[in-house]
Amino acid sequence: MMKYEPPLEKISVNIRETVVGHGEKALKIGGENTLPFHFFEGSLPNPPGLALEILDTEPENWAPSVLEPFEDVVSDPVKWAKKCVEVFGAEMLCLRLLSADPMGKNGSAEEAAEITKIVADAVDVPLIVWGTDMEEKDAQVLTQVARACSGKNLLLAPLVKGNYEEIAKAAMEHGHAIVAQASMDANLTKELNIALCKFFPPEKIVIDPTASALGYGLEYTFSIIEEIKQFGLADKDKMMQMPILCDFGGDCWRTKEAKENREQGILWEAITGITFILAGANLLILRHPEALKLIKEMVV
Amino acid sequence: MALKGAEIMKMLPKTNCKECGYATCFAFAMKLATGGAKLEDCPYLDPQVKAQLEAAMAPPIKLVTIGTGENTLSIGEEQVMFRHEKTFFHEPGIAILISDKGAESEIEEKLKHINTFDFERIGQKLRINLLALCFESGDKDKFQALVKKAYQTTEAALILICEDTDVLFSAAALCADRKPLVYPITNENMNVAIPKLKKLGVAAGVKGQSIDAVVSVTSDLKDAGIEDMVLDPGFKNMLEGIRDQTLIRRAALKKGFRPLGYPTIAFPCFMYPDRFQETLAAAALMTKYAGIVVWSQANAHFLLPLLVLRFNIFSDPRRPMTVEEKAYAIGNPDENSPVLISTNYALDYFIVSAAIEEGNMPAYLCINNTEGLGVMAAWTSGKFNGEAIAEFFKKYGVADKVKHRKLIIPGVAKKLVAELEEELPGWEIILGPLEGSDIPKFLSEQWKA
């Protein structure tokens, strides 16, 4: 009989460890030197970070089953934030600055920074601050936010090719981490990281490959994350060793499958999330507290 | 592990007789190595050498089939650890567990389910066609009745789960022509099982308490001439399952370790009493290499996400799902009908075209060739920017089709507005809804030519 030797693969490099937030509740993500859940051949010092998202504006068109848990607090981002932490056990939050969206209310960068400061002061968990997804506006909004919340070590997102310089400089000056976003392409991810690392500390960068929901492009996100992790760990590419973030709650709850049934919706988001963790994601932004709870039970 | 041409060459007659159709033995060897020629084409190959070569050239993970006809499940023959390295070739089976201890009504319900379960989702048929029948009642007659019923009232492929080897094979005999998978075959029962497996010609679900234990069983079964096996190394939760299934696939693919060159089976149904947890475990175990997951739910809302996940993960990344580039006329559009634009990523097209049809307002749907990339990815890579869309307009004469000058673009493509205003002078660029499902409402409320 042939003898079986477990084909273990030891990797000599680590994904960088990034700290978000400050004080006791600061969270570390990344730091692993192996693939997700591969405790049998490497170390994964930090479980995947799981953030719940809140908006600075009352949400429109949210499916009833995802609005329901927040119904009593959506008009007030501070109450919303506190409920996520105190009732739903969120260890991290993502504040989305919809109010500043040029295609919507188009509020000023100063106002957005002000509301961010109020939320950041009201809770002690780490905060991801998500801009408007419009390059130029985000350059104004996120630099203002960086200044207003100096020292809080926020995670500012998203920085893209067209605006990373201004925002990263402000983040560095005021002690924040950043999310470098490049859409579904490992080469673009690497290019952006190289550009950032010329002046920005690599351990404060998180990669966002942009994520798609189950049934709506999930496989692209899944494979791009696996590819980036292989570059980072197997090929030891230092520019691919940053932790990876996935933001997909909104995309999931926009699908007709999530809207038509509550349980199906929760599973839609939770399965999307666990699939990205299996690919190598280090930080998820989730919308439904039940999806958060479920993923936590399975992976932490 | 695949053999190289030079290694095959050493075992050929080296007479360059040309009877195989190739000029030299070396040319034949190279062709064999890439799968372009068959060993049978060489009339002078020593039978023993032929058998050796066959064994060496076999795929590292055996293809195993269960069931018959349309419901045949083929699993195995995977070539990579990660889908981006090539693709995953065979969708795993998702089996619904039915216990003979269950209430009659529950059994009926599940059997009915498997016959009627048929999702049609944007042009893809998602089906469930595998049943795992489990002996828990202690009553042989009850189990046989269940097996008969499943065999007679469905055409599903079957897995028989029974710790009592006699009962297991008496049940297998009832449905042998359906080619069931019989489980568990273990170190303890294999001597009894081997002649029965051979006689019935059914696949063996090999169970051990560890990978080592599985290896000892598969080695003996192989020596006894049994080829079709599915492996269960006894993992008890998601974490252990990811570990064992990863190591098994690695051993087969990277080390050419034959005793583990078979697909695996996972039982989330026995691991997690909570059905949400069970579903997530099924999703994870399927993604990380199970050939079959056995799962206790027959609830459509739990099943659909799993089926869609399977479809996604096992789609071929080398061939993005695309549709043809053109200006599609949906309904019977006229010169006052709305003009929308999207990418040729098949999903985008299906969602948008279905929504337009649903809204009953005829429209032109311009599908720009983005090589299968969705809106934002295509925009980033320059395949769906102002320039590309302006070119599309010229090529397909969009301006001649309508009198108005209004273009509706995908709601996520905010960044496109300014670019298009520059590239398509005279056109008003309207940002559509974020969600495809809101298109009917959007058109009915906002469209004016």
Side-chain angles (χ1 to χ4, degrees):
Chain A
M1 197 183 86
M2 285 173 82
K3 179 96 182 76
Y4 166 70
E5 290 285 344
L8 301 181
E9 291 178 359
K10 302 273 183 206
I11 297 170
S12 58
V13 293
N14 291 65
I15 296 299
R16 290 176 194 283
E17 192 171 67
T18 299
V19 184
V20 187
H22 63 111
E24 265 178 42
K25 296 277 179 74
L27 268 190
K28 289 180 193 162
I29 55 168
E32 73 272 19
N33 65 1
T34 188
L35 295 175
F37 303 113
H38 282 213
F39 297 101
F40 56 92
E41 58 184 353
S43 91
L44 298 103
N46 305 302
L50 305 172
L52 271 184
E53 67 175 311
I54 59 174
L55 311 186
D56 70 345
T57 316
E58 203 160 328
E60 282 173 36
N61 301 324
W62 275 26
S65 33
V66 70
L67 187 60
E68 184 265 327
F70 311 112
E71 217 148 25
D72 52 336
V73 291
V74 281
S75 57
D76 179 348
V78 168
K79 283 188 188 152
W80 191 348
K82 284 191 163 167
K83 185 167 187 185
C84 285
V85 176
E86 287 158 16
V87 179
F88 302 128
E91 289 167 355
M92 194 185 299
L93 295 177
C94 174
L95 173 66
R96 236 174 256 283
L97 300 173
L98 275 193
S99 66
D101 188 349
M103 310 300 281
K105 271 198 197 162
N106 202 16
S108 71
E110 288 73 22
E111 287 168 295
E114 198 175 321
I115 183 73
T116 306
K117 173 92 169 51
I118 293 171
V119 173
D121 285 341
V123 291
D124 54 0
V125 300
L127 197 60
I128 305 165
V129 179
W130 206 279
T132 63
D133 290 312
M134 298 292 280
E135 273 176 38
E136 286 171 30
K137 188 64 183 277
D138 282 349
Q140 304 165 21
V141 170
L142 295 175
T143 47
Q144 284 291 339
V145 167
R147 221 166 288 150
C149 300
S150 194
K152 293 221 182 252
N153 194 20
L154 306 173
L155 181 56
L156 303 174
L159 277 69
V160 295
K161 200 177 165 191
N163 67 13
Y164 71 89
E165 250 182 297
E166 286 168 86
I167 306 172
K169 276 179 184 153
M172 198 159 66
E173 191 182 332
H174 297 282
H176 302 296
I178 57 169
V179 171
Q181 183 188 69
S183 196
M184 299 273 187
D185 186 309
N187 290 323
L188 294 177
T189 297
K190 184 171 171 171
E191 267 174 36
L192 183 55
N193 285 345
I194 290 174
L196 276 165
C197 288
K198 288 191 176 138
F199 64 93
F200 194 84
E203 69 277 9
K204 302 204 84 168
I205 300 174
V206 175
I207 294 171
D208 174 16
T210 68
S212 301
L214 175 61
Y216 297 85
L218 166 138
E219 68 274 27
Y220 292 86
T221 310
F222 178 79
S223 283
I224 208 82
I225 298 173
E226 289 207 323
E227 214 180 337
I228 292 173
K229 284 281 154 154
Q230 286 296 306
F231 282 129
L233 289 174
D235 301 343
K236 306 182 172 52
D237 185 333
K238 284 187 169 7
M239 289 300 119
M240 298 293 220
Q241 290 168 349
M242 293 73 171
I244 294 177
L245 163 151
C246 287
D247 173 31
F248 52 87
D251 278 352
C252 281
W253 286 97
R254 267 197 286 278
T255 66
K256 73 173 192 307
E257 290 87 352
K259 283 177 176 172
E260 73 190 11
N261 177 277
R262 179 178 177 271
E263 289 180 328
Q264 189 166 290
I266 291 166
L267 283 169
W268 215 263
E269 187 176 13
I271 286 182
T272 304
I274 202 161
T275 307
F276 293 156
I277 291 176
L278 279 170
N282 301 92
L283 174 56
L284 305 184
I285 301 173
L286 298 158
R287 186 166 281 188
H288 202 294
E290 289 292 323
L292 170 91
K293 181 171 159 258
L294 193 52
I295 294 178
K296 204 168 174 178
E297 286 165 359
M298 296 303 290
V299 307
V300 176
Chain B
M1 220 177 284
L3 277 190
K4 292 196 177 67
E7 293 166 317
I8 298 172
M9 174 65 186
K10 286 182 202 153
M11 300 168 82
L12 296 178
K14 300 187 205 64
T15 52
N16 298 336
C17 72
K18 301 188 177 57
E19 283 180 51
C20 59
Y22 295 91
T24 61
C25 288
F26 186 72
F28 180 56
M30 297 308 281
K31 216 61 189 167
L32 279 172
T34 55
K38 291 194 298 287
L39 281 170
E40 286 71 35
D41 294 340
C42 175
Y44 304 109
L45 207 53
D46 178 77
Q48 218 179 329
V49 173
K50 186 172 169 235
Q52 270 177 20
L53 271 173
E54 262 168 0
M57 286 165 62
I61 300 173
K62 173 124 185 24
L63 187 75
V64 176
T65 60
I66 297 156
T68 51
E70 250 186 57
N71 294 315
T72 305
L73 173 70
S74 300
I75 47 174
E77 266 190 20
E78 296 298 341
Q79 300 178 10
V80 292
M81 299 298 293
F82 303 103
R83 73 184 274 286
H84 69 261
E85 295 174 320
K86 190 180 248 178
T87 185
F88 293 156
F89 290 90
H90 295 99
E91 281 196 353
I94 297 175
I96 298 203
L97 179 77
I98 305 183
S99 164
D100 66 347
K101 226 171 74 182
E104 195 64 26
S105 58
E106 189 194 321
I107 293 175
E108 290 287 340
E109 176 72 29
K110 282 184 168 173
L111 289 176
K112 203 182 95 196
H113 226 85
I114 197 135
N115 283 329
T116 52
F117 221 99
D118 215 341
F119 284 111
E120 181 83 50
R121 191 178 174 279
I122 36 181
Q124 310 138 21
K125 259 197 169 10
L126 302 176
R127 293 195 58 215
I128 182 112
N129 49 14
L130 186 60
L131 286 173
L133 309 174
C134 185
F135 178 66
E136 287 185 311
S137 65
D139 180 347
K140 181 180 174 181
D141 294 339
K142 230 176 169 178
F143 187 57
Q144 291 201 340
L146 173 64
V147 172
K148 263 189 214 155
K149 191 163 202 172
Y151 177 74
Q152 284 162 359
T153 61
T154 78
E155 290 179 4
L158 302 174
I159 301 169
L160 306 178
I161 303 173
C162 175
E163 299 285 339
D164 182 320
T165 311
D166 287 338
V167 177
L168 178 63
F169 280 97
S170 68
L174 297 174
C175 57
D177 64 345
R178 185 70 63 84
K179 296 202 70 188
L181 174 70
V182 295
Y183 172 96
I185 306 303
T186 63
N187 209 11
E188 288 74 41
N189 73 4
M190 85 183 152
N191 289 333
V192 183
I194 285 170
K196 296 182 178 187
L197 286 166
K198 283 179 130 172
K199 186 172 156 239
L200 295 175
V202 295
V206 172
K207 185 186 183 179
Q209 287 313 320
S210 64
I211 294 179
D212 268 316
V214 163
V215 168
S216 86
V217 180
T218 61
S219 303
D220 287 359
L221 289 184
K222 178 90 203 307
D223 289 345
I226 309 254
E227 300 282 348
D228 289 334
M229 296 180 241
V230 178
L231 314 182
D232 169 17
F235 49 86
K236 290 179 190 63
N237 54 45
M238 184 185 84
L239 209 58
E240 292 180 8
I242 292 169
R243 175 196 67 197
D244 288 358
Q245 295 190 129
T246 299
L247 290 174
I248 287 173
R249 178 168 293 193
R250 234 187 234 166
L253 290 185
K254 297 193 170 177
K255 305 283 175 195
F257 189 70
R258 293 282 171 191
L260 292 174
Y262 303 93
T264 57
I265 184 167
F267 294 94
C269 57
F270 299 140
M271 297 173 185
Y272 297 93
D274 177 274
R275 60 189 185 149
F276 282 92
Q277 292 185 358
E278 181 193 349
T279 307
L280 253 65
L285 291 167
M286 186 169 81
T287 303
K288 287 299 169 187
Y289 313 136
I292 297 172
V293 287
V294 185
W295 188 60
S296 70
Q297 300 299 311
N299 177 325
H301 298 307
F302 284 67
L303 194 46
L304 182 63
L306 263 193
L307 291 177
V308 173
L309 178 67
R310 177 174 70 175
F311 180 79
N312 284 169
I313 297 293
F314 286 79
S315 65
D316 188 341
R318 298 168 300 177
R319 265 172 263 137
M321 299 189 302
T322 59
V323 291
E324 188 193 342
E325 172 179 281
K326 67 179 196 184
Y328 288 82
I330 297 180
N332 269 317
D334 61 24
E335 58 192 22
N336 294 318
S337 298
V339 177
L340 297 89
I341 190 154
S342 189
T343 72
N344 83 327
Y345 177 35
L347 267 169
D348 281 354
Y349 168 74
F350 286 127
I351 292 168
V352 177
S353 61
I356 295 173
E357 278 169 24
E358 188 193 317
N360 276 327
M361 184 184 291
Y364 289 103
L365 175 56
C366 301
I367 292 295
N368 188 23
N369 183 6
T370 56
E371 290 165 25
L373 293 175
V375 175
M376 287 326 290
W379 178 80
T380 316
S381 50
K383 295 183 180 78
F384 194 66
N385 56 14
E387 223 171 295
I389 292 169
E391 214 163 281
F392 179 97
F393 265 54
K394 238 187 258 163
K395 193 167 161 192
Y396 293 90
V398 179
D400 301 332
K401 294 183 194 294
V402 290
K403 278 202 312 202
H404 63 79
R405 288 291 175 266
K406 289 178 179 176
L407 171 63
I408 302 170
I409 68 168
V412 290
K414 297 193 266 194
K415 297 171 177 172
L416 254 172
V417 178
E419 287 180 12
L420 277 171
E421 282 167 351
E422 201 179 305
E423 296 284 345
L424 289 174
W427 284 77
E428 182 188 342
I429 309 303
I430 304 170
L431 201 58
L434 270 177
E435 308 157 43
S437 55
D438 288 339
I439 289 176
K441 187 166 157 251
F442 177 84
L443 289 179
S444 78
E445 286 174 5
Q446 308 207 16
W447 175 252
K448 253 183 75 193

